[in-house]
Amino acid sequence: MFNYTDFTNKFKILSVVIESEINKNYSYWEPESPPLTVLFSNIGKCLFNEFDNLEEINKKYLFKLIEEGITSSDDRLANATATGLIEAIINNSTSNPEQWKNFEEGLLKKSKEYALAVLAQN
């Protein structure tokens, strides 16, 4: 079975704000784990808000993680990355199109394809 906590912990190194958001989600749902799509949606919102504060190397790492999630052979992880993380980022970008453009430029192949497909439907 895939360890989703191990995957989400990879986002924690990006910033203390993102780490705090992830920890807050796990604390809220204790003793259970948070629903994966809800967790990823909250991470996505936080990532978009924190994006400008990330160093370039962390931005590259972020895009690699998103691509790793959406291309995962674990369907639950791939779906949560798409419908939770990426769609939350897109939904938050409506108020900041310039930031979305910067974010979109960094997305890798599958995550960019998904994001553009969602945007085309809106």
Side-chain angles (χ1 to χ4, degrees):
M1 184 169 129
F2 193 87
N3 189 329
Y4 303 105
T5 304
D6 284 350
F7 185 77
T8 57
N9 282 343
K10 293 177 180 180
F11 288 96
K12 288 182 176 184
I13 68 164
L14 296 171
S15 83
V16 293
V17 174
I18 295 166
E19 178 180 17
S20 176
E21 179 65 31
I22 293 168
N23 290 341
K24 183 175 75 175
N25 276 265
Y26 278 100
S27 294
Y28 179 82
W29 289 94
E30 281 183 341
E32 303 295 321
S33 291
L36 203 56
T37 302
V38 171
L39 174 63
F40 275 49
S41 177
N42 290 332
I43 293 171
K45 290 175 200 169
C46 187
L47 287 171
F48 189 77
N49 292 332
E50 272 297 291
F51 186 72
D52 285 341
N53 298 325
L54 298 178
E55 295 178 23
E56 284 305 311
I57 192 162
N58 285 343
K59 288 178 182 179
K60 288 180 181 186
Y61 179 73
L62 166 63
F63 294 126
K64 182 180 170 280
L65 282 178
I66 294 171
E67 190 73 6
E68 181 182 328
I70 202 165
T71 60
S72 174
S73 61
D74 183 277
D75 288 341
R76 242 181 111 212
L77 178 60
N79 288 333
T81 302
T83 61
L85 191 83
I86 294 173
E87 289 189 26
I89 291 167
I90 290 169
N91 290 337
N92 280 282
S93 72
T94 58
S95 63
N96 193 340
E98 186 61 36
Q99 188 169 344
W100 166 251
K101 184 158 182 54
N102 294 334
F103 200 91
E104 178 190 344
E105 288 173 1
L107 288 171
L108 302 177
K109 187 176 183 344
K110 289 291 181 189
S111 48
K112 184 178 277 192
E113 285 173 7
Y114 182 81
L116 294 177
V118 169
L119 284 168
Q121 292 177 355
N122 292 343

